């Protein structure tokens, strides 16, 4: 039966490709009924309320696209907000009841989008132009939806990839320009999806040569080639007109042995050129890296309709086929490509080209010492030099690097015009929904006391198993966890969970970069396997681990997936789990990168092997670009002194749909380091996480344009990179730029310096400088309340003493304080000092000294003050700075008071305190550097704390209006010679 209503809505939505318009007017024009009954909005509302999935799906796609669209002319409301949706409903002409029904069916997607740091550029990739040529993007977007991507995920990718393409050079531009950019994602978070989307849009727009630098190994290159072939290039371009039923015609066509061919490869319904799009010719295949232009120089001999015009002229460009190659970052391979391109000549200057560099901080960076330049000329590492030559041979080439660890790219010399510094743009992708990253393994900012943490309220308790001297190496326990988690997956399949969620099941063991040690470790694992899983006693050991670990974690975190109530319910699946892991006679695969053949093992090919259930032992090659599918248990004890290397080793990050609760990380907490030190690898990852998140949050904060001009450009990024790491350094190379950040304005935003002095004498001097404000501790404590919010449905309260101090008094104290290392507080202090009316006017500061709960409170007098509540904090591993100062709920309370400030101060629910637009808040904490409550108590045995031992740490939140009319947040000055 024909669904006239659904047909009508699809037709109306199709008539609104770029912006919402009056629904009823268009519906009456295209209605299939003479009386327009199917245009009745009441019927539409009733269908939505009844749960019509087809109608909901049609509107979800369009509404979400409008919600997320950026730089539009039909709404002034920011994307991802209720206000944007309201504007949409107004233009559609929908009443209140229909709006409510639609919003319930398709909620506004409010997760943050990409942060774009860009130099001034000329936009060219308008929505109208993108919609006019969208063949490959439309096919890719539809494939993603079939794979289960939500409309919000597809629309987010649409916007993020559009932001990249718009910052490339217009392919029909007459004068040649090559943009340089960088896209920053998360480790194992789907960056390939973004550059596939960018490639699709770029080819649609007119780019006719795409070179993807796909890793340093054949396997990585092959994986990238297969992904592009499957999701973008498609069956028809792969076959090039060959009949798939003709055996002779199929000779030499790859993927015939691939179990996903052809049904999972995108089909365009015919050669794209027959639909007015361009065909794609592959210059590399799944099994063949670039060897030479297989058809000679003619492979880049583009047919021109107007032979007197250049290829980039629209008359020629849109009729020409695109060429795509996926090339390994290997000196021999890239040398062949560069040499072949040199033979081609002038046509290279006419080809709009796109170079995508996957893992752009690996091999691509020039790591030679600038002091070793010869005759004043830049010397380059091999791969960097060849990439520079490629860019020189292709004057219309755009370079876009992709990485999860951007620091090396940011440190590239911007004055070297032939290098890959992202001079035009840097885009930070949002954390994808469903992604399991560093924050899912660490209790960042948790307010729950250590002794009250459980698998339900602690990421560490749920997923992390520390390896200490006292625990032994826990290697057998990690193997047991691998067997149990495999059995849990089989149990869930038996309970109806789709089997494809658990196609692969892997464990990663990463202890060393030394190849010889990998063999010894593999032998040990095999020995443990053969001796510990062949007896009935093994069930006793597995049952104990199930009861003490998995049963508790799954009860708290299974998220609706079935879990056995006892080990006896799981036991029938244990045997099958062991069989799958030991299939082929060996549960262990060594992957150490000694030779390419190590990566060509059948059991390591996640694409072509139906089920990979193995323990992988490896080193560096397992830590970069290589996706370990189905990774559930990680055993990690490898040490490094570089944060980008350490972060890339975090293979346990990724998407774990259906088994997040089964993921375990066994990690060294006391690894020998140097002569007499130990290294907490878990703490190192936490420190890196905080640095990276600080970097990303700053990018998001300063991405907003002011009067059409960027506040922050790629050239000015370096001063924002956190560098107060002692043991773990941001990256191996460290160049400073010629821009100095002199002022950071933070209206309504917390400022929390953390690099307090290590010297007890400096701490004593700092404590003395706070003496004029210590009367805050003398006040009578009051109860402050934080009402229910997005973080909790409950009202939370805490005790605090408070005082109001003049602006000048606070600035006087802050300006005298000493800091450890580089004074990162100076740009903030320069801002605060100007709130005397120079920049904006702040009259007073409400100083709040929170107290810990009465049962845990430790009190002592500071320089004769009334007893105050001491708190313990620890410095981050390898850093001079503390991990955090203010309590999360204290900060939320203060932020709420600042946000709700009114011209006439109104009483808050927090003990009668008030805030107005000219009053800021200071959270003040007497901090003792201690790891345990016993250490904290020892600092105050006499009820008086030594001023050299206490650190008066603070968080400052200026009023939301504390800025001038320019609304700029950053100010730089150029460094001069001798600075």
């Amino acid at each position: 039966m024909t669904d006239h209503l659904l047909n009508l809505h699809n037709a109306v939505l199709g008539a609104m490709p770029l912006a919402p318009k009056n629904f009823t007017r268009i519906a009456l024009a295209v209605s299939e009924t003479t009386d327009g009954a199917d245009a009745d909005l009441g019927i539409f509302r009733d269908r939505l309320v009844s749960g019509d999935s087809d109608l909901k799906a049609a509107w979800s796609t369009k509404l979400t696209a409008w919600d997320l669209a950026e730089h539009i002319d039909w709404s002034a409301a920011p994307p991802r907000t209720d206000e944007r949706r309201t504007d949409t409903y107004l233009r559609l002409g929908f009443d209140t009841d229909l709006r409510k029904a639609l919003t319930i069916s398709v909620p506004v997607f409010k997760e943050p989008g990409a942060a774009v740091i860009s130099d001034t550029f000329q936009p060219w990739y308008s929505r109208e132009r993108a919609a006019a040529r969208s063949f490959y993007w439309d096919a890719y977007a539809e494939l993603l939806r079939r794979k289960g991507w939500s409309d919000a995920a597809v629309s987010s990718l649409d916007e993020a990839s559009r932001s990249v393409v718009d910052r490339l050079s217009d392919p029909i531009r007459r004068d040649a320009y090559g943009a340089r950019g960088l896209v920053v994602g998360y480790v194992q978070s789907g960056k390939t999806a973004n550059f596939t989307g960018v490639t699709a849009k770029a080819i649609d727009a007119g780019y006719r040569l795409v070179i993807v630098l796909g890793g340093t190994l054949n396997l990585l290159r092959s994986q990238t080639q297969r992904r592009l072939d499957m999701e973008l290039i498609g069956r028809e371009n792969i076959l090039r007109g060959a009949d798939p039923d003709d055996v002779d015609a199929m000779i030499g066509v790859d993927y015939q042995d691939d179990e996903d061919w052809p049904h999972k490869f995108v089909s365009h319904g015919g050669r794209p050129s027959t639909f007015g799009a361009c065909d794609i010719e592959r210059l590399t295949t799944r099994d063949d890296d670039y060897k030479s232009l297989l058809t000679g120089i003619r492979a880049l001999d583009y047919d021109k309709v107007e032979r007197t015009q250049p290829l980039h002229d629209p008359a020629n460009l849109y009729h020409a086929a695109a060429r795509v190659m996926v090339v390994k970052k290997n000196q021999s391979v890239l040398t062949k490509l560069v040499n072949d391109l040199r033979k081609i000549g002038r046509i290279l200057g006419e080809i709009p080209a796109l170079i995508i560099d996957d893992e752009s901080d690996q091999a691509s960076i020039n790591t030679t010492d600038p002091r070793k330049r010869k005759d004043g000329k830049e010397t380059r590492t091999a791969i960097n030099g060849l990439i520079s030559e490629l860019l020189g041979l292709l004057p219309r080439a755009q370079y876009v690097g992709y990485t999860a660890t951007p620091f090396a790219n940011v440190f590239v010399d911007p004055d070297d015009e032939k290098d890959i510094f992202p001079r035009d743009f840097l885009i930070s992708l949002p954390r994808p929904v469903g992604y399991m990253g560093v924050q899912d393994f660490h209790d960042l900012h948790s307010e729950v006391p250590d002794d009250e943490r459980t698998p339900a309220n602690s990421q560490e308790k749920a997923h992390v198993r520390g390896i200490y001297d006292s625990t032994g190496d826990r290697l057998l326990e990690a193997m047991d966890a691998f067997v149990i988690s495999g059995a849990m997956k089989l149990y869930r399949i038996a309970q109806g969970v789709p089997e494809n969620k658990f196609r692969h099941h892997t464990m990663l063991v990463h202890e060393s970069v030394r190849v010889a040690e990998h063999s010894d470790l593999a032998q040990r694992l095999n020995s443990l396997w053969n001796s510990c899983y062949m007896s009935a006693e093994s069930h006793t050991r597995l049952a104990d681990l199930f009861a003490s670990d998995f049963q508790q974690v799954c009860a708290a975190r299974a998220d609706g997936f079935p879990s056995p109530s006892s080990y006896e319910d799981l036991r029938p699946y244990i045997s099958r789990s062991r069989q799958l892991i030991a299939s082929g006679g060996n549960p262990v695969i060594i992957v150490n990168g000694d030779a390419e053949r190590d990566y060509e093992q059948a059991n390591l090919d996640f694409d072509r092997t139906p089920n990979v259930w193995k323990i992988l032992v490896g080193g560096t090659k397992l830590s970069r670009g290589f996706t370990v599918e189905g990774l559930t248990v990680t055993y990690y004890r490898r040490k490094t002194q570089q944060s980008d290397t350490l972060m890339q080793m975090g293979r346990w990050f990724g998407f774990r749909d259906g088994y997040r609760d089964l993921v375990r990380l066994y990690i060294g907490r006391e690894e020998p380091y140097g002569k007499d030190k130990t290294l907490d690898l878990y703490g190192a990852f936490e420190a890196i996480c905080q640095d990276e998140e600080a970097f990303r949050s700053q990018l998001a904060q300063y991405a907003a344009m002011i009067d059409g001009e960027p506040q922050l450009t790629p050239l000015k990024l370096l001063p924002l990179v956190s560098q107060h790491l002692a043991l773990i350094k941001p990256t191996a190379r460290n160049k400073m730029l010629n821009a100095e950040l002199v002022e950071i304005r933070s209206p309504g935003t917390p400022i929390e310096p953390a690099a307090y002095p290590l010297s007890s004498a400096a701490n004593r001097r700092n404590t003395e400088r706070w003496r004029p404000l210590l009367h805050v501790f003398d006040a009578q404590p009051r109860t402050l309340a934080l009402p229910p919010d997005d973080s909790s449905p409950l009202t939370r309260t805490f005790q605090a003493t408070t005082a109001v101090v003049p602006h000048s008094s606070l600035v006087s104290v802050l300006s005298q304080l000493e800091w450890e290392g580089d004074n990162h507080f100076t740009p903030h202090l320069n801002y605060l000092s100007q709130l005397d009316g120079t920049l904006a006017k702040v009259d007073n500061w409400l100083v709040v000294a929170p107290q810990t709960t009465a049962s845990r409170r430790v009190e002592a007098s500071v320089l004769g003050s009334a007893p105050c509540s001491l708190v313990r904090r620890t410095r981050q591993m390898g850093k001079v700075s503390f991990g955090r100062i203010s309590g999360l709920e204290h900060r939320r309370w203060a932020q709420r008071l600042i946000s709700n400030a009114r011209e006439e101060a109104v009483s808050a629910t927090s003990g009668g305190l008030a805030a107005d637009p000219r009053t800021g808040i200071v959270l003040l904490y007497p901090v003792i550097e201690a790891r345990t409550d016993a250490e904290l108590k020892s600092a105050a045995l006499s009820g008086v704390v030594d001023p050299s031992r206490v650190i008066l740490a603070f968080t400052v939140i200026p009023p939301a209006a504390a800025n001038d009319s320019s609304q700029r947040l950053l100010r730089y000055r150029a460094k001069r010679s001798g600075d």
Side-chain angles (χ1 to χ4, degrees):
M1 181 178 176
T2 301
D3 189 337
H4 292 291
L5 185 72
L6 180 61
N7 289 344
L8 172 72
H9 280 249
N10 282 328
V12 173
L13 291 172
M16 297 186 285
L18 302 176
K21 301 176 183 178
N22 187 274
F23 178 88
T24 302
R25 191 176 302 132
I26 299 175
L28 291 174
V30 301
S31 174
E32 298 176 7
T33 59
T34 56
D35 60 359
D38 51 4
D40 188 303
L41 296 181
I43 298 174
F44 173 30
R45 183 193 62 239
D46 293 342
R47 286 273 293 267
L48 282 175
V49 172
S50 69
D52 189 310
S53 58
D54 292 333
L55 204 55
K56 173 184 173 180
W59 276 93
S60 175
T61 300
K62 190 62 74 173
L63 278 177
T64 304
W66 289 331
D67 286 344
L68 271 59
E70 299 181 10
H71 309 298
I72 55 174
D73 58 8
W74 55 267
S75 172
R80 304 165 187 263
T81 62
D82 293 327
E83 292 76 15
R84 168 66 66 80
R85 181 66 72 86
T86 297
D87 286 351
T88 299
Y89 289 150
L90 283 171
R91 290 179 64 89
L92 289 167
F94 289 170
D95 63 22
T96 302
D97 289 343
L98 181 51
R99 294 181 187 190
K100 182 177 179 181
L102 256 178
T103 301
I104 292 173
S105 296
V106 187
V108 178
F109 184 76
K110 297 181 179 180
E111 294 296 321
V116 181
I117 303 300
S118 173
D119 208 340
T120 304
F121 72 104
Q122 183 61 48
W124 62 272
Y125 192 57
S126 66
R127 296 187 183 278
E128 292 78 10
R129 186 164 169 182
R133 297 183 183 276
S134 59
F135 182 87
Y136 284 103
W137 166 254
D138 288 345
Y140 182 50
E142 183 55 34
L143 178 138
L144 294 177
R145 288 191 174 94
R146 290 199 304 271
K147 287 177 64 175
W149 281 48
S150 67
D151 288 318
V154 174
S155 293
S156 292
L157 177 60
D158 187 4
E159 290 300 321
S161 55
R162 182 182 178 278
S163 293
V164 175
V165 174
D166 200 24
R167 284 163 177 78
L168 308 180
S169 179
D170 187 341
I172 63 173
R173 176 174 168 167
R174 298 199 67 82
D175 56 314
Y177 180 75
R180 306 287 183 265
L182 181 68
V183 178
V184 181
Y186 288 79
V187 173
Q188 303 272 85
S189 68
K191 297 185 295 296
T192 305
N194 185 275
F195 76 63
T196 302
V198 167
T199 302
K201 290 177 180 288
I203 291 174
D204 284 334
Y207 280 88
R208 289 300 176 258
L209 176 61
V210 178
I211 301 172
V212 179
L213 304 178
T216 59
L217 294 167
N218 282 336
L219 180 62
L220 301 182
R221 191 212 68 81
S222 177
Q223 284 180 345
T224 302
Q225 178 84 52
R226 183 181 184 272
R227 180 84 173 266
L228 289 174
D229 286 344
M230 176 184 283
E231 299 186 345
L232 173 65
I233 294 172
R235 299 180 215 168
E236 293 80 7
N237 285 318
I238 293 171
L239 293 173
R240 301 185 66 180
D243 182 353
D245 297 322
D246 186 337
V247 177
D248 293 332
M250 293 297 290
I251 294 175
V253 176
D254 45 0
Y255 298 118
Q256 293 182 77
D257 63 341
D258 193 309
E259 68 171 20
D260 291 332
W261 173 269
H263 60 285
K264 287 190 178 180
F265 283 66
V266 66
S267 174
H268 300 299
R271 291 284 276 175
S273 54
T274 63
F275 301 105
C278 71
D279 295 330
I280 296 177
E281 296 182 11
R282 299 184 305 155
L283 302 183
T284 55
T285 66
R286 180 193 66 185
D287 300 320
D288 291 319
D289 196 349
Y290 183 85
K291 295 177 179 176
S292 64
L293 292 176
L294 298 179
T295 54
I297 294 175
R298 291 178 56 196
L300 292 180
D301 187 8
Y302 293 83
D303 292 328
K304 294 182 181 180
V305 175
E306 296 290 342
R307 302 196 65 82
T308 61
Q309 297 299 316
L311 176 65
H312 56 79
D313 186 278
N316 292 321
L317 191 64
Y318 297 121
H319 297 281
R323 274 70 165 177
V324 174
M325 64 177 81
V326 182
V327 181
K328 186 164 73 255
K329 279 196 268 191
N330 171 277
Q331 184 175 359
S332 175
V333 173
L334 289 176
T335 298
K336 290 176 186 176
L337 175 58
V338 167
N339 288 340
D340 279 351
L341 290 178
R342 282 201 188 104
K343 302 171 187 176
I344 293 177
R346 290 181 56 189
I347 186 65
L348 291 183
E350 301 178 12
I351 303 173
L354 172 63
I355 298 176
I356 299 283
D357 189 352
D358 194 13
E359 304 293 352
S360 61
D361 59 327
Q362 183 190 30
S364 303
I365 301 294
N366 184 19
T367 55
T368 59
D369 190 334
R371 294 171 295 184
K372 297 180 179 179
R373 292 176 178 172
K374 297 178 181 179
D375 300 324
K377 295 181 179 179
E378 183 77 61
T379 56
R380 301 187 184 280
T381 50
I383 301 301
N384 177 265
L386 289 163
I387 292 174
S388 297
E389 285 195 67
L390 270 179
L391 294 170
L393 289 167
L394 295 162
R396 294 179 179 274
Q398 319 297 307
Y399 173 91
V400 183
Y402 279 78
T403 184
T405 49
F407 293 136
N409 297 79
V410 172
F411 283 106
V412 170
D413 185 356
D415 294 327
D416 183 355
E417 294 183 357
K418 295 182 179 180
D419 214 333
I420 56 174
F421 179 80
R423 66 190 180 211
D424 293 283
F425 64 88
L426 184 149
I427 295 179
S428 176
L429 299 177
R431 186 171 186 259
V433 175
Y435 174 70
M436 200 170 183
V438 180
Q439 297 93 329
D440 298 287
F441 292 87
H442 294 264
D443 296 322
L444 302 178
H445 313 303
S446 174
E447 297 290 327
V448 181
D450 292 348
D451 57 359
E452 296 178 16
R453 295 185 183 183
T454 68
N457 62 28
S458 166
Q459 307 289 6
E460 181 180 354
K461 291 286 186 182
H463 301 295
V464 181
R465 306 294 174 257
I467 302 170
Y468 300 88
D469 290 342
S470 61
T471 64
D473 65 14
R474 303 187 78 167
L475 185 57
L476 178 59
E477 181 187 324
M479 294 174 69
D480 287 346
F482 183 50
V483 172
I484 290 174
S485 57
M488 292 284 290
K489 292 179 181 181
L490 296 171
Y491 175 88
R492 288 177 177 177
I493 291 172
Q495 301 301 311
V497 177
E499 188 173 358
N500 61 2
K501 289 183 182 293
F502 312 123
R503 175 181 170 184
H504 304 301
H505 178 58
T506 52
M507 173 179 174
L508 173 61
V509 180
H510 193 153
E511 279 195 334
S512 169
V513 295
R514 296 174 182 169
V515 173
E517 293 181 9
H518 297 162
S519 297
D520 293 341
L521 180 56
Q523 186 175 355
R524 184 174 167 223
L525 287 163
N526 277 315
S527 177
L528 283 171
W529 184 267
N530 292 328
S531 62
C532 297
Y533 292 97
M534 302 303 167
S535 64
E537 288 79 10
S538 65
H539 280 294
T540 301
R541 189 180 70 247
L542 293 170
D544 289 344
L545 184 60
F546 175 80
S548 65
D549 186 329
F550 285 86
Q551 194 167 27
Q552 297 179 37
V553 176
C554 294
R557 294 177 177 258
D559 197 26
F561 288 96
S563 299
S565 58
S566 68
Y567 182 75
E568 289 307 309
D569 292 338
L570 183 66
R571 183 166 178 159
Y573 303 95
I574 292 287
S575 177
R576 179 57 179 160
S577 176
R578 293 191 302 204
Q579 288 174 5
L580 286 168
I581 295 167
S583 63
N586 193 339
V588 181
I589 302 175
I590 298 176
V591 191
N592 55 25
D594 220 17
E596 284 286 356
R597 62 177 178 273
D598 295 319
Y599 296 87
E600 294 168 358
Q601 305 171 67
N603 283 335
L604 198 58
D605 192 330
F606 294 104
D607 293 329
R608 285 183 273 188
T609 304
N611 302 100
V612 177
W613 283 50
K614 292 296 173 189
I615 301 171
L616 309 184
V617 174
T620 303
K621 298 298 183 182
L622 277 179
S623 70
R624 176 70 75 158
F626 184 83
T627 300
V628 182
E629 299 286 354
L631 182 59
T632 308
V633 177
T634 301
Y635 185 88
Y636 185 85
R637 303 183 73 174
R638 155 89 188 277
K639 298 177 285 294
T640 179
Q641 291 190 54
Q642 288 175 234
S643 65
D644 50 359
T645 303
L646 190 59
M647 183 63 94
Q648 283 288 355
M649 290 174 187
R651 298 291 99 186
W652 52 90
F653 308 143
F655 298 94
R656 305 287 183 255
D657 185 24
Y659 60 102
R660 290 173 68 98
D661 56 324
L662 308 182
V663 172
R664 297 293 182 272
L665 170 62
Y666 287 80
I667 189 166
R669 305 296 303 267
E670 295 175 340
E671 295 301 306
Y673 174 76
K675 292 182 178 180
D676 55 359
K677 299 178 182 178
T678 60
L679 180 62
D680 181 357
L681 291 170
Y682 181 69
F685 268 101
E686 183 166 316
I688 294 165
C689 169
Q690 291 176 326
D691 272 354
E692 294 236 346
E693 286 307 306
F695 183 62
R696 292 175 192 274
S697 65
Q698 286 175 325
L699 293 181
Q701 183 178 0
Y702 306 130
M705 304 279 279
I706 302 294
D707 296 330
E709 295 292 324
Q711 297 185 77
L712 180 65
T713 66
L715 282 172
K716 295 177 179 177
L717 269 176
L718 188 57
L720 288 179
V721 177
S722 176
Q723 291 195 60
H724 33 275
L725 287 159
L727 184 60
I728 305 296
K729 301 174 183 178
T731 191
R733 198 167 185 226
N734 185 0
K735 279 190 172 183
M736 294 304 293
L737 301 186
N738 293 323
E740 180 184 4
L741 181 60
V742 296
E743 186 179 330
I744 300 177
R745 303 177 185 178
S746 304
T749 302
I751 301 169
E752 186 173 274
Y756 290 92
L758 295 170
S759 159
S760 58
N763 278 333
R764 177 184 291 275
R765 290 193 295 271
N766 276 355
T767 303
E768 288 284 353
R769 288 159 182 151
W770 276 97
R771 188 187 288 273
L773 303 186
L774 292 184
H775 62 276
V776 65
F777 300 134
D778 300 337
Q780 189 68 26
R782 62 172 75 203
T783 300
L784 308 181
L786 176 64
D789 56 17
D790 292 340
S791 65
S792 173
L794 304 176
T795 295
R796 290 137 293 168
T797 61
F798 62 94
Q799 294 278 301
T801 58
T802 66
V804 175
V805 302
H807 172 72
S808 58
S809 299
L810 177 67
V811 171
S812 174
V813 170
L814 299 185
S815 62
Q816 298 178 64
L817 298 179
E818 299 175 49
W819 303 94
E820 190 69 29
D822 294 338
N823 190 348
H824 294 281
F825 184 57
T826 297
H828 297 287
L829 182 61
N830 289 341
Y831 160 64
L832 294 172
S833 299
Q834 296 181 79
L835 299 183
D836 59 356
T838 305
L839 180 73
K841 189 73 168 75
V842 172
D843 296 325
N844 299 304
W845 293 87
L846 173 63
V847 182
V848 180
Q851 298 180 338
T852 55
T853 56
S855 61
R856 306 175 66 93
R857 191 174 302 162
V858 177
E859 292 185 320
S861 171
V862 178
L863 296 177
S865 74
C868 57
S869 177
L870 304 181
V871 298
R872 62 179 174 88
R873 297 288 188 264
T874 58
R875 298 182 195 259
Q876 296 180 68
M877 195 281 299
K879 284 188 176 185
V880 300
S881 57
F882 289 84
R884 67 177 174 87
I885 298 299
S886 58
L888 194 59
E889 290 184 358
H890 305 158
R891 184 183 288 198
R892 286 190 177 126
W893 172 88
Q895 195 84 59
R896 183 177 182 276
L897 205 61
I898 288 290
S899 299
N900 292 340
R902 297 289 184 270
E903 196 61 49
E904 293 183 4
V906 294
S907 176
T909 59
S910 35
L913 289 180
D916 63 60
R918 289 164 63 162
T919 298
I921 296 177
V922 180
L923 298 173
L924 184 63
Y925 298 86
V927 169
I928 301 297
E929 189 173 347
R931 291 193 172 275
T932 66
D933 287 343
E935 289 181 64
L936 178 66
K937 291 175 182 177
S938 70
L941 292 177
S942 62
V944 176
V945 65
D946 184 341
S948 67
R949 191 166 178 193
V950 69
I951 297 171
L952 289 169
F954 61 92
T955 300
V956 177
I957 309 179
N963 201 356
D964 63 12
S965 59
S966 75
Q967 297 301 303
R968 291 188 177 277
L969 301 177
L970 302 172
R971 185 167 62 85
Y972 294 86
R973 75 174 178 91
K975 284 187 178 180
R976 300 184 179 185
S977 299
D979 279 4

